[in-house]
Amino acid sequence: MTKKAIDDTNFSLFDDLSVEPIDSQDLEKTKERMRALEKDLERWNYEYYVLDAPSVPDSEYDKAFQELSDLEKKYPQLKSAASPTERVGGAARSDLAKVKHAVPMLSIHTETDFEAEGARAFDDRVRKGLGLSESDPEVEYDVELKFDGLAMNLRYEKGVLVSAATRGDGLVGEDVTANVKTIRTVPLQLPADVPEVLEVRGEVIMHKADFERLNDEQKMEGHKPFVNPRNAAAGCLRQLDPKVTAKRKLSFYAYGLGEVSAPLALTHSGTLDCLQKWGFPVASQRRVVKGWKALAEFHDWVKSIRQTLPFEIDGVVYKVNSLAEQNELGFISREPRWACAHKYPPEEALTVVEDIDVQVGRTGKLTPVARLKPVFVGGVTVSNATLHNEDFIAELGLKIGDTVVVRRAGDVIPEVVRVLPERRTGAEKDFVMPDHCPVCGSETFRDEEEKDTRCTGGLFCPAQRRESLVHFASRLALNIDGLGEKVIDQLLEAGLIQTPADLYRITEEKLLTLERFGKKSAANLVEAIEKSKETTLARFIYALGIRHVGESTARDLAQHFRSLNVLMSADAEALLKVNDVGEVIAQSIIHFFEEPHNRHVIENLVDLGVHWPTPEASAVNDLVSGKTFVLTGTLPSMGREEAKALLLAQGAKVASSVSKKTDYVVAGAEAGSKLEKAQALGVAVIDEAKMLEMLKGAQ
Ligand code: IVH
């Protein structure tokens, strides 16, 4: 993506003002615009550098900065003496002592093209600067990560760390020696053979894992979390109390030198090797390469491993490797001509939530989705972001029309991370979760436990249709042989079915019109569907796919109510009497049967011949009912499945592992670890004969 393309996709928050001035009225407008930009930039600068709490993403700052610099170039007469473009870095904080850098801490040129062109442009300039022609060999470069942290100058005298200073405005920084000494990887004492004066430059960063830990703590203690690792690192570094810094883990990576009384090597890579040997952390992702294609390859490679790095980077840095060539190239204004930063597209950007739509998933979950004013972020143009659920929106404090920060890192789906309430105009609207499904119109309900809102349309809702049909036909439900996902998809596509009731209207003739169906397979499927009409109440209830009603709850409900009509009219009080049915399950059942569409499908199923015998009323056998059994080993007269069925039929629970909650372990021949565990926990162990005796208690 070229810079031009990015500018085209990035919308400007000030579209109305970015016009070409032609007359004095427009000039006046431009002046206003420049003053407004200055004001914004100064405020953001202050938030960023002094408060360590930026309110806008860097990309927004950069954009405004660029706009102001461009205007200043075009209309120098309108430039104010105190323009933020005059600054490099922030004003030194007054409460930390100032340090004048022996050698200024420069910034480097940033290539604006995120693609290979950026690498080629840099190499071109270098070759030109060195007076090389096309036939001359490729230039050698040292290539490194561009750490997203804070530049640091560490001064060693006679091998002892005497000062650590931030970059500040490049000439004067802040003394943070006490805090930097708490960074475990910064050597306090160097080997004997180092130059008398040695300034090592590098970046102080916070690893992603340490950042997450710190933010968890911040939240737990009721403090505001940090926006990103770099700001957390800045906050920690400028702490006035080093004990606080010591608790928050910072890291340091060396990438160059400041003042030195003797050079360490003839190349930049040799210098880094030397620093590494003396105990400085140097990132292992550095290479020595030749020519612009290799620069671009490194840029691509780092992009592919970026997410796996333990810290954040915002690009790569290319440096001419030979120090002699570096000298020859020298500097332009405040930037060396021998180095450049080649960044990746910003991962955060500002945009506006134009609307919030609601999508219905295959399980009936309603997901609010932010419709964004398209914005270029993380290398793509993003126009949607999931908002997960109502609580997520409430936590963000998001309203429709809000200006938000959108983040897209790597291949991760875009997220709305922050709202900028200060940008509100008053026209923003609250989002309300719909009380009816936007797809089928059925009522929705909130599942408190899962914090989700769900459609009650179940069997009827087109969004959930496929899932409910697959479930309906599955083995433990109506067990329709040969009716798997593929066939269901085929039937849905052909418009032969919509709800489970339609299955019973399918004929061989209709199936024969479909691909892959022959006479035999069509006849088989129709027969399997016909066979499924004869079922049990428990299977039928399970087949309805009521949320939270699994196979065992369906069995309990069938046993308890013995009639579908009674179950359908049961209120919460009645439902709560059923084994293992709590408030959540009861509400889910009530919502399901309240929905007229669901009742309608059930009615159709019964009309089309689905039937079941009334379950036997069972006198409760207290010896077994409600007790938990575990079956282990080989039983003498029956398989474990059979024994399980007998126990379940009398209201027992059959678990697969032994715990303190187990009432009985039924052990057969060659019982192993489960028996041992039962003995260890003091759980009663019985044999098959004893189990059968207990089961008889019911008759
Ligand atoms: S070299 C004269 N190498 O990027 C060249 N800088 O404007 C001095 N940065 O804030 C910089 N990683 O702190 C260099 N591997 C790296 C870097 C790096 C991050 C930062 C640096 C400064 C900015 C350069």
Side-chain angles (χ1 to χ4, degrees):
M1 169 93 44
T2 62
K3 175 79 171 60
K4 172 82 183 57
I6 293 152
D7 286 343
D8 287 347
T9 44
N10 251 351
F11 86 100
S12 161
L13 290 167
F14 311 98
D15 285 334
D16 50 338
L17 287 168
S18 46
V19 285
E20 283 275 311
I22 32 171
D23 55 28
S24 66
Q25 210 185 351
D26 282 334
L27 205 65
E28 196 49 43
K29 259 192 173 173
T30 307
K31 198 165 132 194
E32 265 172 41
R33 174 76 191 129
M34 286 169 76
R35 296 298 93 84
L37 284 166
E38 283 163 14
K39 230 174 102 204
D40 280 346
L41 285 165
E42 270 305 276
R43 193 179 73 244
W44 295 337
N45 217 37
Y46 176 77
E47 289 169 350
Y48 185 101
Y49 285 103
V50 181
L51 303 180
D52 297 321
S55 65
V56 295
D58 294 358
S59 56
E60 198 59 23
Y61 181 93
D62 293 345
K63 215 162 65 187
F65 193 93
Q66 193 61 48
E67 189 185 342
L68 182 60
S69 325
D70 291 350
L71 288 172
E72 286 174 349
K73 264 183 217 138
K74 212 162 162 190
Y75 309 101
Q77 74 275 26
L78 298 181
K79 180 173 172 174
S80 58
S83 167
T85 58
E86 291 288 292
R87 278 188 200 283
V88 186
R93 209 159 130 148
S94 53
D95 39 16
L96 290 166
K98 309 256 189 319
V99 180
K100 187 174 180 314
H101 297 303
V103 175
M105 291 182 80
L106 302 171
S107 58
I108 40 180
H109 176 79
T110 299
E111 288 302 332
T112 44
D113 191 316
F114 298 129
E115 304 300 323
E117 256 332 288
R120 193 210 281 262
F122 171 62
D123 183 56
D124 278 353
R125 282 201 314 275
V126 168
R127 292 184 71 86
K128 215 164 135 205
L130 292 174
L132 298 177
S133 69
E134 263 179 44
S135 54
D136 285 315
E138 306 267 39
V139 176
E140 184 174 278
Y141 296 101
D142 167 274
V143 292
E144 305 167 14
L145 304 178
K146 185 171 188 317
F147 303 96
D148 198 5
L150 293 104
M152 181 62 49
N153 185 68
L154 304 178
R155 186 176 173 91
Y156 292 82
E157 289 175 7
K158 297 197 173 68
V160 177
L161 176 67
V162 292
S163 140
T166 64
R167 177 156 171 262
D169 64 3
L171 301 175
V172 177
E174 296 157 330
D175 182 353
V176 287
T177 315
N179 287 341
V180 167
K181 281 185 176 168
T182 69
I183 304 175
R184 301 293 153 145
T185 52
V186 167
L188 302 179
Q189 168 85 58
L190 300 177
D193 58 342
V194 304
E196 182 150 342
V197 173
L198 171 69
E199 287 188 356
V200 176
R201 288 186 176 167
E203 200 92 339
V204 169
I205 56 164
M206 186 177 281
H207 281 192
K208 291 174 192 167
D210 296 322
F211 168 71
E212 310 242 308
R213 211 169 305 135
L214 170 62
N215 261 359
D216 284 346
E217 277 168 29
Q218 289 282 108
K219 279 186 224 156
M220 249 161 29
E221 289 163 17
H223 300 304
K224 235 180 124 184
F226 290 99
V227 169
N228 57 40
R230 192 198 41 220
N231 283 287
C236 297
L237 204 52
R238 291 152 118 193
Q239 265 295 329
L240 293 178
D241 181 0
K243 283 200 206 72
V244 176
T245 313
K247 277 196 286 180
R248 301 170 174 183
K249 265 187 84 194
L250 293 174
S251 305
F252 174 81
Y253 289 90
Y255 56 62
L257 297 175
E259 189 190 3
V260 274
S261 50
L264 313 188
L266 295 176
T267 58
H268 182 72
S269 58
T271 304
L272 294 184
D273 292 342
C274 194
L275 291 177
Q276 196 161 7
K277 191 181 78 197
W278 289 338
F280 288 95
V282 179
S284 61
Q285 296 81 3
R286 62 185 172 104
R287 306 274 182 274
V288 175
V289 301
K290 284 187 176 139
W292 73 268
K293 282 193 183 132
L295 297 181
E297 266 167 36
F298 182 73
H299 186 257
D300 278 353
W301 172 68
V302 171
K303 189 174 179 182
S304 72
I305 60 156
R306 185 179 184 187
Q307 298 307 318
T308 66
L309 293 171
F311 44 72
E312 293 203 335
I313 58 164
D314 55 352
V316 290
V317 179
Y318 309 140
K319 296 172 185 171
V320 170
N321 201 25
S322 150
L323 300 191
E325 285 178 346
Q326 285 191 5
N327 262 333
E328 203 180 325
L329 286 159
F331 299 83
I332 293 194
S333 61
R334 310 172 66 126
E335 291 168 352
R337 273 154 73 179
W338 46 263
C340 87
H342 195 186
K343 291 208 196 179
Y344 297 113
E347 294 188 319
E348 286 192 354
L350 278 194
T351 189
V352 171
V353 174
E354 295 185 320
D355 206 353
I356 298 178
D357 282 353
V358 174
Q359 286 177 351
V360 186
R362 293 200 310 190
T363 58
K365 181 180 177 268
L366 271 64
T367 306
V369 178
R371 300 288 175 224
L372 307 169
K373 186 154 190 174
V375 63
F376 184 74
V377 59
V380 298
T381 299
V382 167
S383 44
N384 301 309
T386 175
L387 296 170
H388 307 290
N389 53 39
E390 246 178 323
D391 289 22
F392 185 81
I393 296 176
E395 263 167 46
L396 280 174
L398 175 68
K399 291 170 183 274
I400 298 168
D402 265 339
T403 299
V404 294
V405 175
V406 177
R407 184 175 169 79
R408 181 187 179 272
D411 292 330
V412 183
I413 50 169
E415 280 246 90
V416 173
V417 290
R418 218 159 65 235
V419 173
L420 273 67
E422 63 271 24
R423 297 262 176 130
R424 286 193 178 141
T425 62
E428 296 75 16
K429 282 188 282 185
D430 281 327
F431 166 76
V432 189
M433 207 48 158
D435 50 13
H436 286 84
C437 173
V439 176
C440 74
S442 302
E443 267 186 40
T444 60
F445 75 103
R446 191 170 144 91
D447 184 332
E448 281 304 331
E449 197 153 290
E450 309 209 358
K451 314 237 170 291
D452 288 336
T453 303
R454 299 193 166 266
C455 163
T456 53
L459 302 177
F460 171 81
C461 180
Q464 302 169 65
R465 212 165 260 167
R466 180 182 186 274
E467 286 309 288
S468 57
L469 283 161
V470 171
H471 176 77
F472 186 86
S474 66
R475 199 173 54 84
L476 297 172
L478 286 218
N479 192 19
I480 307 179
D481 243 2
L483 190 59
E485 297 192 16
K486 273 203 191 116
V487 177
I488 286 175
D489 283 340
Q490 217 184 342
L491 297 174
L492 278 169
E493 258 165 53
L496 283 187
I497 53 170
Q498 289 195 329
T499 75
D502 298 326
L503 290 171
Y504 298 94
R505 299 188 177 104
I506 290 179
T507 59
E508 276 178 46
E509 293 74 58
K510 281 185 191 158
L511 287 178
L512 282 171
T513 63
L514 303 181
E515 229 176 89
R516 289 201 307 269
F517 269 99
K519 239 192 159 5
K520 184 141 200 287
S521 52
N524 282 350
L525 184 56
V526 169
E527 195 192 320
I529 293 173
E530 188 60 29
K531 215 175 104 195
S532 75
K533 283 184 181 169
E534 194 174 324
T535 187
T536 64
L537 179 56
R539 275 179 180 273
F540 188 79
I541 295 169
Y542 175 66
L544 295 177
I546 306 168
R547 211 169 143 68
H548 299 304
V549 176
E551 188 208 352
S552 121
T553 306
R555 211 178 303 115
D556 287 343
L557 290 167
Q559 195 62 54
H560 185 94
F561 292 103
R562 300 178 57 228
S563 142
L564 183 64
N565 284 329
V566 178
L567 168 63
M568 282 169 73
S569 52
D571 58 12
E573 200 191 340
L575 287 164
L576 288 170
K577 289 203 181 108
V578 181
N579 206 6
D580 283 342
V581 172
E583 199 55 52
V584 173
I585 305 184
Q587 284 314 318
S588 172
I589 296 170
I590 291 170
H591 283 303
F592 185 89
F593 289 123
E594 263 173 7
E595 187 46 61
H597 300 310
N598 290 336
R599 300 180 85 97
H600 185 67
V601 175
I602 293 170
E603 225 169 81
N604 278 337
L605 283 166
V606 173
D607 286 349
L608 286 158
V610 179
H611 65 282
W612 52 84
T614 303
E616 293 280 318
S618 60
V620 177
N621 175 2
D622 287 335
L623 291 178
V624 175
S625 178
K627 300 278 190 293
T628 301
F629 288 75
V630 172
L631 300 162
T632 181
T634 312
L635 301 179
S637 77
M638 64 181 86
R640 283 209 295 270
E641 278 306 310
E642 195 184 336
K644 180 178 171 182
L646 288 172
L647 288 165
L648 289 177
Q650 294 203 11
K653 281 176 251 172
V654 178
S656 55
S657 63
V658 180
S659 74
K660 269 191 260 164
K661 287 192 187 145
T662 312
D663 293 299
Y664 297 101
V665 168
V666 184
E670 279 155 52
S673 62
K674 287 182 191 169
L675 177 57
E676 277 166 31
K677 183 142 184 220
Q679 283 159 345
L681 290 174
V683 171
V685 178
I686 58 172
D687 59 8
E688 183 196 278
K690 174 73 184 158
M691 176 189 78
L692 290 171
E693 197 177 299
M694 285 167 77
L695 284 167
K696 268 196 212 132
Q699 278 132 35

